[in-house]
Amino acid sequence: DLKVITYESLVGKPEIYWAEAIDFLCLKNRPTAELLGQPSQQSWDKQAKIESLGGNKPKWMKRLSAQEMKDIQGILDECKVTLYT
């Protein structure tokens, strides 16, 4: 089975959609509201992201051709994702 819950749903009505996600995943331990409110890795500043890679590209980045990297970067740019930029 597959369940789709949008980010907007989670943010808009967390009491409903987090419960649905947790139930669907059959999680025993439910995260507290405080834990759910903590920032994710996407909220790091850009410099911290770059430093966290230590100048080393992940294996998957090394295996891709220049054209594949360009295509992927286009998608990331379109979605405003900067984690791998």
Side-chain angles (χ1 to χ4, degrees):
D1 289 344
L2 179 66
K3 182 162 193 77
V4 176
I5 301 174
T6 64
Y7 171 80
E8 291 80 9
S9 296
L10 287 171
V11 172
K13 296 183 179 178
E15 65 284 348
I16 295 171
Y17 292 103
W18 273 113
E20 282 187 21
I22 290 165
D23 290 342
F24 180 78
L25 296 170
C26 301
L27 298 177
K28 293 178 191 175
N29 299 322
R30 294 176 180 257
T32 63
E34 180 181 338
L35 180 62
L36 292 174
Q38 292 180 355
S40 69
Q41 68 181 17
Q42 285 80 13
S43 67
W44 295 351
D45 66 43
K46 189 172 184 174
Q47 187 60 37
K49 292 175 196 172
I50 292 168
E51 290 172 1
S52 71
L53 291 176
N56 297 323
K57 289 184 180 179
K59 282 184 185 178
W60 66 266
M61 286 180 128
K62 294 176 185 176
R63 294 180 186 161
L64 298 172
S65 71
Q67 183 59 51
E68 289 169 325
M69 289 293 289
K70 183 178 176 185
D71 293 343
I72 291 168
Q73 189 61 53
I75 294 167
L76 293 172
D77 292 345
E78 185 71 27
C79 297
K80 297 180 175 62
V81 175
T82 60
L83 182 61
Y84 299 107
T85 301

